[in-house]
Amino acid sequence: MSERRTPPPLPEALPVPIVDAHTHLDACGAKDAADVTAMVDRAASVGVARVVTVADDLAAARWAAEAATWDERVFAAVAVHPTRTAAFSATDRGEVEALAGRPRVVAVGETGLDYYWDYSPPAAQQEAFRWHIDLAKRLGKPLMIHDRDAHEDIWRILEEEGPPETVVFHCFSGDAEFARRCVDRGYVLSLAGTVTFRNARALREAAVHIPTYQLLVETDAPFLTPHPFRGRPGEPYCAAYTIRDLAQLRGADVAELAAAVAANAQLVFGLPDATAGEISGRGA
């Protein structure tokens, strides 16, 4: 197998355990409880102690909600991705709502707008986004936003609908000015491996100015694997690479930054206190 198709090596373990705030365990190759436990064990071995696995369609939502019951270190977020909203029926909405109401489903997401891909008409995406915003508010759960080439429409719709109490911009992709607007509004910005890309100058500039208390770290695995392994398939353990790079970028101590983003994730998603088994990497 070529190097480009193999995951990166396990990184040096973090001094403080963190949460991967957005991953896709199913897309990483996990199919059953044993796969999930093995994958999260690898992450925990380097200090990525817990994960939020995220759905992008109904099948993935069913799987994510169930996977969150297989291992105490796994939580879920469910929604229909904007690129899958061309035919988002009332029946689909009822199922998403039922899944989102489960106790180990900690966010409504990922939802939002994606104007890069031409899979769903903008009108359908916007209608679905408004519905997910309302769902998050009714359930009292964070809204996890996918925003690709759609900053201003995302902003406008949030203002028109009124945001939920907690809004997370997954894989934040804006510049310093958009980051400032989001921070001023109280939104949480989650940084993926893209923040380590050396040509992502605007994003790296923005990352320096995000207040620590409004910051999360994620992988979006198997996608967006951090530098220097860009283009290779990732897993949640890759969050350890990202947070080390981010600490260097911000001139921060790795342990202090890790502790801060872990506390943020616990607060944002309402996670219980971590157990000794979760921190040490023993599955449920």
Side-chain angles (χ1 to χ4, degrees):
M1 184 180 293
S2 72
E3 184 178 86
R4 295 288 291 176
R5 297 178 63 186
T6 60
L10 290 173
E12 178 186 355
L14 294 170
V16 175
I18 64 169
V19 177
D20 179 355
H22 185 117
T23 191
H24 301 271
L25 295 182
D26 53 343
C28 290
K31 295 180 174 60
D32 55 25
D35 292 339
V36 166
T37 294
M39 200 169 288
V40 183
D41 279 347
R42 281 193 290 278
S45 74
V46 300
V48 183
R50 297 192 278 184
V51 307
V52 180
T53 190
V54 181
D56 58 6
D57 61 17
L58 270 175
R62 297 180 197 113
W63 188 91
E66 191 64 21
T69 69
W70 295 339
D71 191 297
E72 65 179 349
R73 300 165 294 178
V74 177
F75 300 86
V78 301
V80 171
H81 191 281
T83 59
R84 313 293 180 88
T85 55
F88 187 36
S89 69
T91 300
D92 296 340
R93 295 179 189 203
E95 186 169 5
V96 170
E97 182 164 352
L99 291 168
R102 294 189 184 185
R104 292 189 65 82
V105 175
V106 296
V108 174
E110 58 189 285
T111 179
L113 304 174
D114 190 315
Y115 293 164
Y116 180 81
W117 298 108
D118 188 23
Y119 295 141
S120 297
Q125 293 188 43
Q126 292 181 22
E127 181 184 3
F129 183 36
R130 292 179 190 275
W131 181 84
H132 283 98
I133 292 171
D134 178 68
L135 177 63
K137 290 193 288 188
R138 286 190 282 111
L139 294 179
K141 294 190 176 183
L143 182 74
M144 185 181 285
I145 291 179
H146 173 100
D147 169 18
R148 190 164 188 187
D149 294 351
H151 298 328
E152 295 308 320
D153 277 356
I154 290 278
W155 188 270
R156 174 179 58 81
I157 291 171
L158 281 172
E159 292 297 302
E160 290 173 356
E161 296 296 318
E165 181 177 350
T166 304
V167 172
V168 178
F169 273 77
H170 136 68
C171 189
F172 181 76
S173 59
D175 60 12
E177 172 57 23
F178 191 63
R180 183 195 61 76
R181 289 167 60 190
C182 291
V183 165
D184 288 349
R185 195 67 173 86
Y187 300 153
V188 178
L189 307 184
S190 185
L191 298 177
T194 44
V195 76
T196 73
F197 297 171
R198 294 327 194 230
N199 63 345
R201 295 181 184 87
L203 176 59
R204 285 172 66 80
E205 179 186 355
V208 172
H209 300 291
I210 300 168
T212 304
Y213 59 85
Q214 285 173 263
L215 181 64
L216 295 175
V217 169
E218 63 173 80
T219 59
D220 200 23
F223 317 106
L224 308 180
T225 304
H227 175 84
F229 306 105
R230 183 177 183 177
R232 291 168 65 171
E235 282 192 15
Y237 68 77
C238 292
Y241 284 115
T242 299
I243 198 161
R244 285 188 181 279
D245 191 284
L246 183 60
Q248 183 178 33
L249 178 66
R250 290 168 63 98
D253 177 77
V254 172
E256 291 180 0
L257 184 60
V261 298
N264 293 343
Q266 186 164 345
L267 179 63
V268 164
F269 297 120
L271 305 184
D273 290 339
T275 67
E278 289 171 331
I279 292 171
S280 65
R282 294 190 298 272

